[in-house]
Amino acid sequence: MSLSRGAVSFQPLFTSGDIGVRDDATVEQIVKSFLWIGEAIAERWIEMPKGILLLQSIPGRDGSGAIYLYDRVRQVFFFVNFADGRDDSFTAVEFDGLVNEYDLVSFAARPAGLSPLARVGSA
């Protein structure tokens, strides 16, 4: 089966420590710090025990969303990258569709297997 945006990969960006979050911070504080740096809001927030899937958008700008995954165990933020098409101009409806099509919740449930070279699907 061909996926609408080709293969998906997860590019590690930085750790929660890299953005100045204290070791004793809550997950909510970590995500809010991440959003503050991007001057963004979480238009969607899917929380699993080991990972969080986010649609980060610019307030008041429909179609400005990018998808991120936060590995709660390793405390690493990943950018969700699609081989075909744009990666940073999603609407909430498009996010919902991609979450289902690519089963992105399963990656949030088990982010430990993600690496810089992790690709799923075909281009």
Side-chain angles (χ1 to χ4, degrees):
M1 180 176 131
S2 180
L3 299 169
S4 67
R5 299 194 185 273
V8 63
S9 61
F10 299 83
Q11 176 185 0
L13 297 175
F14 39 75
T15 67
S16 55
D18 292 339
I19 60 172
V21 178
R22 294 175 21 167
D23 289 340
D24 62 347
T26 66
V27 170
E28 184 173 291
Q29 291 168 324
I30 293 167
V31 172
K32 284 184 177 185
S33 293
F34 171 72
L35 294 169
W36 181 81
I37 288 170
E39 299 178 5
I41 60 168
E43 201 165 341
R44 294 285 193 269
W45 178 324
I46 301 172
E47 191 165 341
M48 304 296 287
K50 294 184 180 178
I52 298 172
L53 195 59
L54 296 168
L55 176 64
Q56 179 192 53
S57 300
I58 299 169
R61 286 191 47 205
D62 191 41
S64 65
I67 303 172
Y68 296 90
L69 188 147
Y70 178 66
D71 180 335
R72 296 173 69 165
V73 176
R74 294 183 291 174
Q75 299 181 335
V76 174
F77 283 93
F78 290 86
F79 178 67
V80 181
N81 182 40
F82 296 91
D84 298 336
R86 66 197 195 288
D87 296 317
D88 61 356
S89 56
F90 295 117
T91 65
V93 170
E94 289 172 314
F95 171 83
D96 295 340
L98 292 169
V99 166
N100 289 325
E101 180 182 3
Y102 284 83
D103 192 19
L104 295 178
V105 172
S106 69
F107 293 102
R110 294 177 295 284
L114 299 179
S115 73
L117 303 175
R119 292 186 78 78
V120 179
S122 59

